[in-house]
Amino acid sequence: MARRKWLLTVCLFCLVGVFLVGCNSGEEEDVAGGEQTQESGDQEAGNGGHEKEEVTIKFHTHGNETSYNWKETLAAFEEAYPDINVDLVILSEKGDTQEALQKLDLEAASGAQLDVLMFSDPASYAERVGLGMVAPIDDFIEADGFDVGEEYKVDTILDGSYYALPGKFNPWYVLLNKDHLDEAGLEVPQDWTWDDFIAYAKALTTEDRHGTFFHGPQNGGWMEYMKLALAGKPENTEFVKEDGTSNFDDPLFRKTLEIRVKMEKEDQSATPYTDILSQKLHYRTQFFNEDASMILIGSWMNTELGGTDQFPLDFHVAVAPYPKNDAADEGGFAPVTTDYMAVAKSSAHKEAAYTFIRWYTTEGQLVQGRNVPSWNGVTEDEFAAIIEGILAETEEPEKVDIDSLIRVLTNAKSSKIIPPVSYQAEIYNVVNEEYEKLIYDQQNIEETIAALQERVQEIIDSNQ
């Protein structure tokens, strides 16, 4: 109930904010539905067009300068489009996505200028679309003449419309302390299963460290750690299936719970969940301080693999692919994160905002050079150059097994994207709550699955 009250409050604030902006900026029609603004009527085919008069758009993001190289990236855009100035608003200097979302909601409620919005996960993206904060961009995409599913590795469609284009392509992988592997006589895996992962973690566990560290779930976030086995298949990897029904009866969800219980309770090869919360442990410190030998994490870590000022590297690092469920399964499937680049519904410069997100998610990714792009227009040579450039910015790139990194990233693939439901965050909170009951020994796996099926079905029914 508290969650719903919060959502209603934010929604009301956003509506007030949109109303105030509408009053200040004059009459404006939505781009969707066939009624275009004057500026969208000036579109130029091939790039969505851009405004003839000089404008300044506000770009709100969770990404900081270190991780996103904004100065160089925005300078390149403004050189290509001299009539569009980008005013960068970094919502969290430490890159905290939750802090950024809270500040973005406050900005929307206050009626601040919003033009380009960046979301870091499908739940926050879908939720803000549901709150009316984001504008559809179908007309711009149609004018540009491309298919999002073919142009990008991540398809961002939501309820039949496009509200964002994807930036980076960050598949999850397993970071390995290669020195620990050598001590245990273990090879860097190129093709392995969850059974292998469990065996590795047990072999790597000593009195001074755990074999692995699962950084979630936490406060309804980091749900990838509740989909360990689910994420290794080509479709229906979410808690809600494509047909809108819950997915907790999938045997691979049960397997995920079994993996978590076995590794923490039986093998004691995973850092205890109670320690994670009570000591506020973080995956970076656990890995770079050598308190955990393997970390399952997203490839946004590419920028830190060779060590940084904050997290020096005192060992050698290798990379392994996301584990498969069975040796005969097709490999490469993994959770994938991206930045959802969207146009604010309250923006008075939608065309300019779209021009920016289209450029940023294509050519801009090459200029930025911080991540593997979702854009399929990148060549093999450009891909290798991006990886080498990313590592070159770290303190000791020679300690990273670059061949294993390129091999994993080259072979990674995204499962079929299921458009997130607008109430996905509410489901995440329920999954988090029921998992904690399981890991705190308040219920068993059967009871956990039964409770999830009942509670999530109630959420689905209430949103029909």
Side-chain angles (χ1 to χ4, degrees), residues 3-18:
R3 175 69 177 168
R4 292 185 180 178
K5 289 180 179 178
W6 180 86
L7 284 174
L8 286 172
T9 301
V10 171
C11 187
L12 289 172
F13 279 154
C14 289
L15 288 173
V16 171
V18 170

mmCIF file of all heavy atoms in Angstrom, residues 3-18:
data_model
loop_
_atom_site.group_PDB
_atom_site.id
_atom_site.type_symbol
_atom_site.label_atom_id
_atom_site.label_comp_id
_atom_site.label_asym_id
_atom_site.label_seq_id
_atom_site.Cartn_x
_atom_site.Cartn_y
_atom_site.Cartn_z
ATOM 1 N N ARG A 3 3.745 1.554 -1.253
ATOM 2 C CA ARG A 3 4.315 1.704 -2.603
ATOM 3 C C ARG A 3 3.320 2.381 -3.542
ATOM 4 O O ARG A 3 3.653 3.271 -4.307
ATOM 5 C CB ARG A 3 4.703 0.321 -3.143
ATOM 6 C CG ARG A 3 5.208 0.325 -4.584
ATOM 7 C CD ARG A 3 6.526 0.986 -4.688
ATOM 8 N NE ARG A 3 7.029 0.918 -6.067
ATOM 9 C CZ ARG A 3 8.046 1.602 -6.490
ATOM 10 N NH1 ARG A 3 8.694 2.418 -5.688
ATOM 11 N NH2 ARG A 3 8.464 1.486 -7.754
ATOM 12 N N ARG A 4 2.033 1.934 -3.430
ATOM 13 C CA ARG A 4 1.010 2.516 -4.313
ATOM 14 C C ARG A 4 0.776 3.985 -3.978
ATOM 15 O O ARG A 4 0.606 4.813 -4.863
ATOM 16 C CB ARG A 4 -0.284 1.731 -4.200
ATOM 17 C CG ARG A 4 -0.159 0.319 -4.784
ATOM 18 C CD ARG A 4 -1.487 -0.392 -4.765
ATOM 19 N NE ARG A 4 -1.367 -1.725 -5.307
ATOM 20 C CZ ARG A 4 -2.383 -2.590 -5.369
ATOM 21 N NH1 ARG A 4 -3.578 -2.242 -4.950
ATOM 22 N NH2 ARG A 4 -2.195 -3.803 -5.885
ATOM 23 N N LYS A 5 0.787 4.323 -2.673
ATOM 24 C CA LYS A 5 0.602 5.713 -2.289
ATOM 25 C C LYS A 5 1.735 6.573 -2.835
ATOM 26 O O LYS A 5 1.533 7.690 -3.285
ATOM 27 C CB LYS A 5 0.524 5.831 -0.761
ATOM 28 C CG LYS A 5 -0.754 5.266 -0.177
ATOM 29 C CD LYS A 5 -0.774 5.416 1.330
ATOM 30 C CE LYS A 5 -2.076 4.872 1.929
ATOM 31 N NZ LYS A 5 -2.073 4.965 3.393
ATOM 32 N N TRP A 6 2.950 6.017 -2.773
ATOM 33 C CA TRP A 6 4.096 6.756 -3.318
ATOM 34 C C TRP A 6 3.918 7.009 -4.797
ATOM 35 O O TRP A 6 4.158 8.107 -5.283
ATOM 36 C CB TRP A 6 5.380 5.971 -3.070
ATOM 37 C CG TRP A 6 6.603 6.654 -3.602
ATOM 38 C CD1 TRP A 6 7.365 7.598 -2.996
ATOM 39 C CD2 TRP A 6 7.200 6.430 -4.887
ATOM 40 N NE1 TRP A 6 8.388 7.980 -3.817
ATOM 41 C CE2 TRP A 6 8.322 7.297 -4.976
ATOM 42 C CE3 TRP A 6 6.900 5.601 -5.974
ATOM 43 C CZ2 TRP A 6 9.134 7.331 -6.094
ATOM 44 C CZ3 TRP A 6 7.712 5.645 -7.083
ATOM 45 C CH2 TRP A 6 8.809 6.496 -7.136
ATOM 46 N N LEU A 7 3.505 5.980 -5.524
ATOM 47 C CA LEU A 7 3.325 6.123 -6.969
ATOM 48 C C LEU A 7 2.253 7.155 -7.289
ATOM 49 O O LEU A 7 2.392 7.964 -8.201
ATOM 50 C CB LEU A 7 2.958 4.778 -7.606
ATOM 51 C CG LEU A 7 4.110 3.792 -7.763
ATOM 52 C CD1 LEU A 7 3.589 2.449 -8.269
ATOM 53 C CD2 LEU A 7 5.135 4.339 -8.734
ATOM 54 N N LEU A 8 1.148 7.116 -6.509
ATOM 55 C CA LEU A 8 0.070 8.072 -6.748
ATOM 56 C C LEU A 8 0.561 9.493 -6.491
ATOM 57 O O LEU A 8 0.250 10.431 -7.233
ATOM 58 C CB LEU A 8 -1.126 7.751 -5.845
ATOM 59 C CG LEU A 8 -1.944 6.512 -6.245
ATOM 60 C CD1 LEU A 8 -2.968 6.192 -5.165
ATOM 61 C CD2 LEU A 8 -2.647 6.749 -7.583
ATOM 62 N N THR A 9 1.370 9.657 -5.434
ATOM 63 C CA THR A 9 1.898 10.973 -5.117
ATOM 64 C C THR A 9 2.790 11.494 -6.216
ATOM 65 O O THR A 9 2.677 12.632 -6.670
ATOM 66 C CB THR A 9 2.697 10.926 -3.801
ATOM 67 O OG1 THR A 9 1.841 10.475 -2.761
ATOM 68 C CG2 THR A 9 3.237 12.317 -3.449
ATOM 69 N N VAL A 10 3.705 10.634 -6.678
ATOM 70 C CA VAL A 10 4.608 11.032 -7.757
ATOM 71 C C VAL A 10 3.820 11.380 -9.011
ATOM 72 O O VAL A 10 4.100 12.344 -9.708
ATOM 73 C CB VAL A 10 5.639 9.910 -8.053
ATOM 74 C CG1 VAL A 10 6.424 10.245 -9.315
ATOM 75 C CG2 VAL A 10 6.569 9.743 -6.878
ATOM 76 N N CYS A 11 2.792 10.552 -9.299
ATOM 77 C CA CYS A 11 1.978 10.786 -10.493
ATOM 78 C C CYS A 11 1.306 12.147 -10.440
ATOM 79 O O CYS A 11 1.306 12.901 -11.404
ATOM 80 C CB CYS A 11 0.942 9.669 -10.619
ATOM 81 S SG CYS A 11 0.006 9.753 -12.165
ATOM 82 N N LEU A 12 0.745 12.485 -9.245
ATOM 83 C CA LEU A 12 0.085 13.771 -9.096
ATOM 84 C C LEU A 12 1.078 14.914 -9.260
ATOM 85 O O LEU A 12 0.816 15.913 -9.933
ATOM 86 C CB LEU A 12 -0.592 13.844 -7.724
ATOM 87 C CG LEU A 12 -1.836 12.967 -7.552
ATOM 88 C CD1 LEU A 12 -2.295 12.976 -6.100
ATOM 89 C CD2 LEU A 12 -2.960 13.460 -8.462
ATOM 90 N N PHE A 13 2.261 14.744 -8.639
ATOM 91 C CA PHE A 13 3.295 15.766 -8.783
ATOM 92 C C PHE A 13 3.692 15.955 -10.238
ATOM 93 O O PHE A 13 3.873 17.056 -10.715
ATOM 94 C CB PHE A 13 4.531 15.394 -7.958
ATOM 95 C CG PHE A 13 4.414 15.723 -6.498
ATOM 96 C CD1 PHE A 13 5.144 15.005 -5.559
ATOM 97 C CD2 PHE A 13 3.590 16.749 -6.060
ATOM 98 C CE1 PHE A 13 5.048 15.301 -4.220
ATOM 99 C CE2 PHE A 13 3.491 17.056 -4.722
ATOM 100 C CZ PHE A 13 4.218 16.328 -3.787
ATOM 101 N N CYS A 14 3.847 14.820 -10.932
ATOM 102 C CA CYS A 14 4.260 14.902 -12.338
ATOM 103 C C CYS A 14 3.209 15.595 -13.182
ATOM 104 O O CYS A 14 3.527 16.390 -14.059
ATOM 105 C CB CYS A 14 4.548 13.500 -12.902
ATOM 106 S SG CYS A 14 6.053 12.770 -12.249
ATOM 107 N N LEU A 15 1.935 15.290 -12.902
ATOM 108 C CA LEU A 15 0.862 15.924 -13.653
ATOM 109 C C LEU A 15 0.854 17.429 -13.420
ATOM 110 O O LEU A 15 0.679 18.224 -14.354
ATOM 111 C CB LEU A 15 -0.487 15.321 -13.262
ATOM 112 C CG LEU A 15 -0.744 13.898 -13.769
ATOM 113 C CD1 LEU A 15 -2.042 13.362 -13.163
ATOM 114 C CD2 LEU A 15 -0.820 13.888 -15.297
ATOM 115 N N VAL A 16 1.096 17.826 -12.165
ATOM 116 C CA VAL A 16 1.159 19.252 -11.861
ATOM 117 C C VAL A 16 2.330 19.887 -12.603
ATOM 118 O O VAL A 16 2.227 20.957 -13.198
ATOM 119 C CB VAL A 16 1.304 19.478 -10.341
ATOM 120 C CG1 VAL A 16 1.592 20.954 -10.063
ATOM 121 C CG2 VAL A 16 0.021 19.062 -9.635
ATOM 122 N N GLY A 17 3.490 19.176 -12.586
ATOM 123 C CA GLY A 17 4.669 19.696 -13.268
ATOM 124 C C GLY A 17 4.434 19.854 -14.745
ATOM 125 O O GLY A 17 4.817 20.847 -15.353
ATOM 126 N N VAL A 18 3.833 18.827 -15.356
ATOM 127 C CA VAL A 18 3.551 18.893 -16.791
ATOM 128 C C VAL A 18 2.608 20.045 -17.106
ATOM 129 O O VAL A 18 2.769 20.773 -18.084
ATOM 130 C CB VAL A 18 2.964 17.551 -17.284
ATOM 131 C CG1 VAL A 18 2.447 17.691 -18.702
ATOM 132 C CG2 VAL A 18 4.018 16.463 -17.217
#
